[in-house]
PDB file of all heavy atoms in Angstrom:
ATOM      1  N   TYR H  94      56.147   0.549  40.855  1.00  0.00           N
ATOM      2  CA  TYR H  94      56.047  -0.023  42.188  1.00  0.00           C
ATOM      3  C   TYR H  94      56.348  -1.500  42.097  1.00  0.00           C
ATOM      4  O   TYR H  94      56.037  -2.124  41.165  1.00  0.00           O
ATOM      5  CB  TYR H  94      54.609   0.188  42.763  1.00  0.00           C
ATOM      6  CG  TYR H  94      54.328   1.504  43.286  1.00  0.00           C
ATOM      7  CD1 TYR H  94      53.996   2.579  42.516  1.00  0.00           C
ATOM      8  CD2 TYR H  94      54.403   1.679  44.702  1.00  0.00           C
ATOM      9  CE1 TYR H  94      53.742   3.785  43.022  1.00  0.00           C
ATOM     10  CE2 TYR H  94      54.178   2.989  45.230  1.00  0.00           C
ATOM     11  CZ  TYR H  94      53.808   4.029  44.360  1.00  0.00           C
ATOM     12  OH  TYR H  94      53.573   5.278  44.881  1.00  0.00           O
ATOM     13  N   GLY H  95      57.019  -1.962  43.161  1.00  0.00           N
ATOM     14  CA  GLY H  95      57.117  -3.412  43.320  1.00  0.00           C
ATOM     15  C   GLY H  95      55.931  -3.922  43.949  1.00  0.00           C
ATOM     16  O   GLY H  95      55.251  -3.250  44.810  1.00  0.00           O
ATOM     17  N   LEU H  96      55.555  -5.169  43.552  1.00  0.00           N
ATOM     18  CA  LEU H  96      54.220  -5.711  44.095  1.00  0.00           C
ATOM     19  C   LEU H  96      54.484  -7.086  44.660  1.00  0.00           C
ATOM     20  O   LEU H  96      55.148  -7.893  44.018  1.00  0.00           O
ATOM     21  CB  LEU H  96      53.184  -5.683  43.012  1.00  0.00           C
ATOM     22  CG  LEU H  96      51.895  -6.411  43.380  1.00  0.00           C
ATOM     23  CD1 LEU H  96      51.089  -5.543  44.332  1.00  0.00           C
ATOM     24  CD2 LEU H  96      51.112  -6.759  42.122  1.00  0.00           C
ATOM     25  N   SER H  97      53.929  -7.282  45.819  1.00  0.00           N
ATOM     26  CA  SER H  97      53.893  -8.699  46.288  1.00  0.00           C
ATOM     27  C   SER H  97      52.592  -8.965  46.937  1.00  0.00           C
ATOM     28  O   SER H  97      52.006  -8.042  47.463  1.00  0.00           O
ATOM     29  CB  SER H  97      55.073  -8.945  47.254  1.00  0.00           C
ATOM     30  OG  SER H  97      54.998  -8.048  48.279  1.00  0.00           O
ATOM     31  N   PHE H  98      52.178 -10.189  46.899  1.00  0.00           N
ATOM     32  CA  PHE H  98      50.985 -10.583  47.626  1.00  0.00           C
ATOM     33  C   PHE H  98      51.404 -11.318  48.884  1.00  0.00           C
ATOM     34  O   PHE H  98      52.252 -12.199  48.763  1.00  0.00           O
ATOM     35  CB  PHE H  98      50.092 -11.495  46.750  1.00  0.00           C
ATOM     36  CG  PHE H  98      49.341 -10.732  45.703  1.00  0.00           C
ATOM     37  CD1 PHE H  98      49.851 -10.771  44.389  1.00  0.00           C
ATOM     38  CD2 PHE H  98      48.194  -9.986  45.987  1.00  0.00           C
ATOM     39  CE1 PHE H  98      49.179 -10.032  43.411  1.00  0.00           C
ATOM     40  CE2 PHE H  98      47.532  -9.273  45.026  1.00  0.00           C
ATOM     41  CZ  PHE H  98      48.061  -9.307  43.724  1.00  0.00           C
ATOM     42  N   VAL H  99      50.867 -10.915  49.938  1.00  0.00           N
ATOM     43  CA  VAL H  99      51.195 -11.534  51.276  1.00  0.00           C
ATOM     44  C   VAL H  99      50.003 -12.238  51.764  1.00  0.00           C
ATOM     45  O   VAL H  99      48.912 -11.719  51.700  1.00  0.00           O
ATOM     46  CB  VAL H  99      51.629 -10.397  52.274  1.00  0.00           C
ATOM     47  CG1 VAL H  99      52.055 -11.052  53.566  1.00  0.00           C
ATOM     48  CG2 VAL H  99      52.659  -9.485  51.665  1.00  0.00           C
ATOM     49  N   ASP H 100      50.231 -13.519  52.129  1.00  0.00           N
ATOM     50  CA  ASP H 100      49.058 -14.231  52.668  1.00  0.00           C
ATOM     51  C   ASP H 100      49.410 -14.869  53.961  1.00  0.00           C
ATOM     52  O   ASP H 100      49.908 -15.989  54.011  1.00  0.00           O
ATOM     53  CB  ASP H 100      48.630 -15.289  51.578  1.00  0.00           C
ATOM     54  CG  ASP H 100      47.181 -15.790  51.905  1.00  0.00           C
ATOM     55  OD1 ASP H 100      46.705 -15.499  53.020  1.00  0.00           O
ATOM     56  OD2 ASP H 100      46.600 -16.403  51.041  1.00  0.00           O
ATOM     57  N   ASN H 101      49.217 -14.143  55.035  1.00  0.00           N
ATOM     58  CA  ASN H 101      49.447 -14.790  56.282  1.00  0.00           C
ATOM     59  C   ASN H 101      48.071 -14.850  57.026  1.00  0.00           C
ATOM     60  O   ASN H 101      47.893 -14.159  57.963  1.00  0.00           O
ATOM     61  CB  ASN H 101      50.471 -13.991  57.176  1.00  0.00           C
ATOM     62  CG  ASN H 101      50.139 -12.501  57.109  1.00  0.00           C
ATOM     63  OD1 ASN H 101      49.115 -12.035  56.480  1.00  0.00           O
ATOM     64  ND2 ASN H 101      50.893 -11.654  57.786  1.00  0.00           N
ATOM     65  N   GLY H 102      47.244 -15.654  56.464  1.00  0.00           N
ATOM     66  CA  GLY H 102      45.921 -15.723  57.025  1.00  0.00           C
ATOM     67  C   GLY H 102      45.025 -14.723  56.338  1.00  0.00           C
ATOM     68  O   GLY H 102      43.938 -15.053  55.934  1.00  0.00           O
ATOM     69  N   HIS H 103      45.486 -13.544  56.220  1.00  0.00           N
ATOM     70  CA  HIS H 103      44.712 -12.498  55.555  1.00  0.00           C
ATOM     71  C   HIS H 103      45.541 -12.029  54.350  1.00  0.00           C
ATOM     72  O   HIS H 103      46.691 -11.696  54.477  1.00  0.00           O
ATOM     73  CB  HIS H 103      44.488 -11.330  56.484  1.00  0.00           C
ATOM     74  CG  HIS H 103      44.162 -11.696  57.905  1.00  0.00           C
ATOM     75  ND1 HIS H 103      43.093 -12.496  58.196  1.00  0.00           N
ATOM     76  CD2 HIS H 103      44.801 -11.380  59.056  1.00  0.00           C
ATOM     77  CE1 HIS H 103      43.177 -12.705  59.537  1.00  0.00           C
ATOM     78  NE2 HIS H 103      44.181 -12.056  59.993  1.00  0.00           N
ATOM     79  N   ARG H 104      44.877 -11.930  53.208  1.00  0.00           N
ATOM     80  CA  ARG H 104      45.580 -11.625  51.937  1.00  0.00           C
ATOM     81  C   ARG H 104      45.781 -10.097  51.916  1.00  0.00           C
ATOM     82  O   ARG H 104      44.905  -9.331  52.257  1.00  0.00           O
ATOM     83  CB  ARG H 104      44.849 -12.089  50.774  1.00  0.00           C
ATOM     84  CG  ARG H 104      45.236 -13.478  50.321  1.00  0.00           C
ATOM     85  CD  ARG H 104      44.564 -13.862  49.061  1.00  0.00           C
ATOM     86  NE  ARG H 104      45.519 -13.687  47.894  1.00  0.00           N
ATOM     87  CZ  ARG H 104      45.279 -13.032  46.853  1.00  0.00           C
ATOM     88  NH1 ARG H 104      44.122 -12.376  46.723  1.00  0.00           N
ATOM     89  NH2 ARG H 104      46.144 -13.057  45.823  1.00  0.00           N
ATOM     90  N   HIS H 105      47.010  -9.721  51.494  1.00  0.00           N
ATOM     91  CA  HIS H 105      47.224  -8.295  51.261  1.00  0.00           C
ATOM     92  C   HIS H 105      47.981  -8.167  49.907  1.00  0.00           C
ATOM     93  O   HIS H 105      48.829  -9.011  49.602  1.00  0.00           O
ATOM     94  CB  HIS H 105      48.199  -7.790  52.326  1.00  0.00           C
ATOM     95  CG  HIS H 105      47.567  -7.560  53.676  1.00  0.00           C
ATOM     96  ND1 HIS H 105      46.700  -6.591  53.984  1.00  0.00           N
ATOM     97  CD2 HIS H 105      47.556  -8.378  54.738  1.00  0.00           C
ATOM     98  CE1 HIS H 105      46.238  -6.627  55.160  1.00  0.00           C
ATOM     99  NE2 HIS H 105      46.724  -7.762  55.639  1.00  0.00           N
ATOM    100  N   ALA H 106      47.699  -7.114  49.246  1.00  0.00           N
ATOM    101  CA  ALA H 106      48.592  -6.727  48.148  1.00  0.00           C
ATOM    102  C   ALA H 106      49.505  -5.623  48.775  1.00  0.00           C
ATOM    103  O   ALA H 106      49.039  -4.723  49.399  1.00  0.00           O
ATOM    104  CB  ALA H 106      47.769  -6.099  47.014  1.00  0.00           C
ATOM    105  N   GLU H 107      50.780  -5.780  48.501  1.00  0.00           N
ATOM    106  CA  GLU H 107      51.682  -4.811  49.024  1.00  0.00           C
ATOM    107  C   GLU H 107      52.532  -4.198  47.943  1.00  0.00           C
ATOM    108  O   GLU H 107      53.184  -4.836  47.245  1.00  0.00           O
ATOM    109  CB  GLU H 107      52.595  -5.470  50.088  1.00  0.00           C
ATOM    110  CG  GLU H 107      53.427  -4.556  50.889  1.00  0.00           C
ATOM    111  CD  GLU H 107      54.080  -5.127  52.082  1.00  0.00           C
ATOM    112  OE1 GLU H 107      53.324  -5.420  53.040  1.00  0.00           O
ATOM    113  OE2 GLU H 107      55.331  -5.376  52.084  1.00  0.00           O
ATOM    114  N   TRP H 108      52.284  -2.850  47.778  1.00  0.00           N
ATOM    115  CA  TRP H 108      53.095  -2.066  46.813  1.00  0.00           C
ATOM    116  C   TRP H 108      54.188  -1.361  47.518  1.00  0.00           C
ATOM    117  O   TRP H 108      53.984  -0.794  48.580  1.00  0.00           O
ATOM    118  CB  TRP H 108      52.233  -1.047  46.132  1.00  0.00           C
ATOM    119  CG  TRP H 108      51.255  -1.546  45.122  1.00  0.00           C
ATOM    120  CD1 TRP H 108      51.483  -1.877  43.857  1.00  0.00           C
ATOM    121  CD2 TRP H 108      49.833  -1.794  45.343  1.00  0.00           C
ATOM    122  NE1 TRP H 108      50.315  -2.232  43.176  1.00  0.00           N
ATOM    123  CE2 TRP H 108      49.295  -2.239  44.147  1.00  0.00           C
ATOM    124  CE3 TRP H 108      48.966  -1.685  46.447  1.00  0.00           C
ATOM    125  CZ2 TRP H 108      47.944  -2.521  43.959  1.00  0.00           C
ATOM    126  CZ3 TRP H 108      47.660  -1.952  46.304  1.00  0.00           C
ATOM    127  CH2 TRP H 108      47.141  -2.416  45.037  1.00  0.00           C
ATOM    128  N   THR H 109      55.409  -1.413  46.915  1.00  0.00           N
ATOM    129  CA  THR H 109      56.492  -0.690  47.565  1.00  0.00           C
ATOM    130  C   THR H 109      57.308   0.026  46.465  1.00  0.00           C
ATOM    131  O   THR H 109      57.448  -0.420  45.349  1.00  0.00           O
ATOM    132  CB  THR H 109      57.400  -1.606  48.353  1.00  0.00           C
ATOM    133  OG1 THR H 109      57.678  -2.777  47.516  1.00  0.00           O
ATOM    134  CG2 THR H 109      56.810  -2.051  49.665  1.00  0.00           C
ATOM    135  N   THR H 110      57.834   1.201  46.882  1.00  0.00           N
ATOM    136  CA  THR H 110      58.715   1.855  45.995  1.00  0.00           C
ATOM    137  C   THR H 110      59.656   2.723  46.837  1.00  0.00           C
ATOM    138  O   THR H 110      59.355   3.127  47.999  1.00  0.00           O
ATOM    139  CB  THR H 110      57.996   2.798  44.941  1.00  0.00           C
ATOM    140  OG1 THR H 110      58.875   3.245  44.012  1.00  0.00           O
ATOM    141  CG2 THR H 110      57.243   3.932  45.695  1.00  0.00           C
ATOM    142  N   ARG H 111      60.877   3.001  46.265  1.00  0.00           N
ATOM    143  CA  ARG H 111      61.901   3.727  46.964  1.00  0.00           C
ATOM    144  C   ARG H 111      61.474   5.169  47.160  1.00  0.00           C
ATOM    145  O   ARG H 111      61.696   5.838  48.127  1.00  0.00           O
ATOM    146  CB  ARG H 111      63.234   3.609  46.301  1.00  0.00           C
ATOM    147  CG  ARG H 111      64.008   2.405  46.621  1.00  0.00           C
ATOM    148  CD  ARG H 111      64.579   2.467  48.056  1.00  0.00           C
ATOM    149  NE  ARG H 111      65.046   1.110  48.357  1.00  0.00           N
ATOM    150  CZ  ARG H 111      65.329   0.787  49.589  1.00  0.00           C
ATOM    151  NH1 ARG H 111      65.116   1.594  50.688  1.00  0.00           N
ATOM    152  NH2 ARG H 111      65.712  -0.414  49.922  1.00  0.00           N
ATOM    153  N   GLU H 112      61.011   5.687  46.022  1.00  0.00           N
ATOM    154  CA  GLU H 112      60.744   7.113  46.045  1.00  0.00           C
ATOM    155  C   GLU H 112      59.566   7.449  45.162  1.00  0.00           C
ATOM    156  O   GLU H 112      59.415   6.913  44.048  1.00  0.00           O
ATOM    157  CB  GLU H 112      61.952   7.831  45.505  1.00  0.00           C
ATOM    158  CG  GLU H 112      61.937   9.320  45.795  1.00  0.00           C
ATOM    159  CD  GLU H 112      63.215  10.032  45.350  1.00  0.00           C
ATOM    160  OE1 GLU H 112      64.014   9.449  44.629  1.00  0.00           O
ATOM    161  OE2 GLU H 112      63.378  11.215  45.697  1.00  0.00           O
ATOM    162  N   ALA H 113      58.646   8.233  45.657  1.00  0.00           N
ATOM    163  CA  ALA H 113      57.518   8.688  44.910  1.00  0.00           C
ATOM    164  C   ALA H 113      57.117  10.049  45.409  1.00  0.00           C
ATOM    165  O   ALA H 113      57.068  10.289  46.608  1.00  0.00           O
ATOM    166  CB  ALA H 113      56.400   7.692  44.990  1.00  0.00           C
ATOM    167  N   VAL H 114      56.768  10.951  44.467  1.00  0.00           N
ATOM    168  CA  VAL H 114      56.360  12.248  44.881  1.00  0.00           C
ATOM    169  C   VAL H 114      55.019  12.572  44.117  1.00  0.00           C
ATOM    170  O   VAL H 114      54.825  12.167  42.989  1.00  0.00           O
ATOM    171  CB  VAL H 114      57.430  13.332  44.390  1.00  0.00           C
ATOM    172  CG1 VAL H 114      57.061  14.696  44.997  1.00  0.00           C
ATOM    173  CG2 VAL H 114      58.785  12.841  44.795  1.00  0.00           C
ATOM    174  N   GLY H 115      54.183  13.212  44.808  1.00  0.00           N
ATOM    175  CA  GLY H 115      52.900  13.714  44.186  1.00  0.00           C
ATOM    176  C   GLY H 115      51.847  12.649  44.247  1.00  0.00           C
ATOM    177  O   GLY H 115      51.991  11.648  44.798  1.00  0.00           O
ATOM    178  N   PRO H 116      50.741  12.957  43.577  1.00  0.00           N
ATOM    179  CA  PRO H 116      49.649  12.008  43.538  1.00  0.00           C
ATOM    180  C   PRO H 116      49.950  10.725  42.885  1.00  0.00           C
ATOM    181  O   PRO H 116      50.601  10.654  41.834  1.00  0.00           O
ATOM    182  CB  PRO H 116      48.595  12.772  42.712  1.00  0.00           C
ATOM    183  CG  PRO H 116      49.046  14.082  42.502  1.00  0.00           C
ATOM    184  CD  PRO H 116      50.536  14.135  42.780  1.00  0.00           C
ATOM    185  N   GLN H 117      49.598   9.624  43.545  1.00  0.00           N
ATOM    186  CA  GLN H 117      49.811   8.294  43.044  1.00  0.00           C
ATOM    187  C   GLN H 117      48.457   7.592  42.832  1.00  0.00           C
ATOM    188  O   GLN H 117      47.643   7.810  43.757  1.00  0.00           O
ATOM    189  CB  GLN H 117      50.735   7.496  44.032  1.00  0.00           C
ATOM    190  CG  GLN H 117      51.944   8.223  44.503  1.00  0.00           C
ATOM    191  CD  GLN H 117      53.045   8.162  43.470  1.00  0.00           C
ATOM    192  OE1 GLN H 117      53.326   7.059  42.891  1.00  0.00           O
ATOM    193  NE2 GLN H 117      53.624   9.320  43.144  1.00  0.00           N
TER     194      GLN H 117
END
Side-chain angles (χ1 to χ4, degrees):
Chain H
Y94 280 82
L96 172 75
S97 56
F98 285 101
V99 185
D100 196 347
N101 47 1
H103 321 302
R104 271 185 102 233
H105 288 280
E107 188 167 290
W108 286 275
T109 44
T110 188
R111 276 287 167 198
E112 196 177 8
V114 191
Q117 310 282 311

